[in-house]
Each structure stands twice: as structure tokens, then as C-alpha cells.
Amino acid sequence: MKFLEAEFVQGFIRMANDGWEQGWHERNGGNLSYRVKPEEVEYVKEELAAGQWQPIGTTVPGLAGEYFLVTGSGKFFRNVIIKPEDSICMIELDENGEQYRIVWGLINGGRPTSELPSHLMNHEVKKLASGGSHRVIYHAHTTNLIALTFVLPLEDEVFTRELWEMATECPVVFPSGIGVVPWMVPGGRDIAVATSELMKQYDVAVWAHHGIFVSGEDFDVTFGLAHTVEKAAEILVKMLSMQSTKRQTITPAQFRDLAVDFKVILPERFLYEK
Ligand code: 13P
Ligand code: ZN
């Protein structure tokens, strides 16, 4: 079995390319990771060759011994579909969750994304919170959502409520809401800790003046979540460009009616009176 033909690798490549086609990945912007299933590792194991152990930059004991497919640092999403073996890699974590080693890919050198601490800490949190069903973490430079971080207060309640109001599907797609991380230096442990703390209750986090982080069970659901949030952000940007106030919108009472029919729990703290 050729590594690149495996279904999980094909799904990863397709998602990276879908993000590129949306315009969310200028240059090397954004990164993607997938927690590989044991049977998928088994499927490709004859093509794996272990490199040197390297420090992760944080500790993720809850992911000890697991394998991940990740984009490379400085690699362009544009190139993932064209030269995947140069743009992405599979890594294995050690038995303490402190080090990783490349077992496939990045054939011309390099290392996993600089946001590996954020990806792995988010995977650790979501694996626990979802009972193991969440496997994908995605970071993208979503244009409209970034634009909103310059005009909306950087508060979970405001981002959640304003985006919910932009499309009726939003509270159904992200009922637990959106967390907001204030501007922080990317690529390190501090932003990883702040984001993974929010991911205990949300599947979406916004990085102010930077982008989005989302978590999901598979490539479709995770990409669909980012797409839905960014679409709502685009509508809000358009609305605010026409006028600063809404003539009409979805009311808290209407959100409560929707929650009953669609069987979702919408936390009351997002349904405040304005
Ligand atoms: P990498 O190229 O290291 O993945 O960084 C891109 C990025 O978006 C950092 O936040
Ligand atoms: Zn980024």
C-alpha cells in the first residue's frame, strides 16, 4: 500500500487544498494535523522510517505513543496537493508525550508546523473531552474573522452571539460557542496553553489579528466548521459595511425556539439582552 494512496492521507491532502482554494493560506499561513487511527498506522507501517527524536516544546502525556499527520513549518498549503512528501509529515510521539520523531515525509528536510505545541495540546484536550472521537485540528488565516478582531470586543460572548445572528445554521453548527484568544506571540507554549484551555468548552477559537483554530471528528466536519464560521464572519463584515446597526435580526427568544426544535443546548450567557 502506497502511503499517499491511504484514505486518511488523501483526506488530509484534500482538506489542505480546500483551504488553499478558499484563500485562507497565503504563503505558509495555517497548519493542519490529524491524529492517526491505530489501524491506519498499521496500514502504512511498511513505509515508515524513524528519524531523530526532537522536543515538542510542551508535554502531552495524554497523547503518548500516538501518530499524527501534520503540515510542515514554512511549507505552503498551495503545494500540499502538488508535492505532499515535501510539504507534510507523519510523526510519532514518545512514551512520555515530550518528544516526536518524523516517520514519513518532509523529504527535503524541515520540521512539523511551528504551531505543533498548540495542535498537540488541543488534540490532548479534545481527545479527552470527546471520548476520543475528535481527530482533526485546523488553523487557518480566515480573512473576515480576522477583520472582525479589529472591530468587535475580544469577548467570547460577543463573537459567539454576533456570528450566531448572521446565519440560522450557526447556533446548530457551533452551539457551544466561540472562544477568543487575545493577541499573543504565535508558535509557542503560551498560546498553546491559552487555546487548549478554551478548547475544553469550545470547538472553535479565534486568535485576535491572526486566524481561527477548530477541532472536529473528521476532515469534513472540521473544515465545515471553519467554513461556517468564516461565512458568518463574511456576512457580518458585509452587514457592518452597509450600516453599523441591524434593522432586524434573530432574537434571543427565536434562538431558544430553534434550540428546542434542533435539539441543541445554547448557553444562556450568549443570549443576553442588548
Ligand atoms: P507554520 O508554517 O510553522 O505552520 O506557521 C504558519 C502559521 O500560520 C503560524 O501561525
Ligand atoms: Zn497562523
Side-chain angles (χ1 to χ4, degrees), residues 28-31 72-75 113-115 139 141 186 207 210:
N28 64 309
N31 22 77
S73 185
K75 299 294 182 179
T113 172
S114 58
E115 306 293 1
H139 167 56
H141 293 178
W207 282 4
H210 186 151

Side-chain angles (χ1 to χ4, degrees), residues 139-154:
H139 167 56
H141 293 178
T142 42
T143 316
N144 293 283
L145 192 63
I146 296 169
L148 289 175
T149 65
F150 295 92
V151 298
L152 292 184
L154 298 176

Side-chain angles (χ1 to χ4, degrees), residues 160-179:
T160 300
R161 176 64 176 281
E162 292 306 312
L163 292 175
W164 277 4
E165 285 185 38
M166 290 303 109
T168 299
E169 66 172 332
C170 285
V172 180
V173 176
F174 47 99
S176 52
I178 294 183

Side-chain angles (χ1 to χ4, degrees), residues 116-141:
L116 191 65
S118 280
H119 278 258
L120 293 181
M121 290 189 82
N122 285 328
H123 274 294
E124 189 179 42
V125 161
K126 297 312 280 189
K127 181 185 172 187
L128 194 67
S130 71
S133 66
H134 275 226
R135 293 193 169 270
V136 184
I137 299 286
Y138 179 42
H139 167 56
H141 293 178

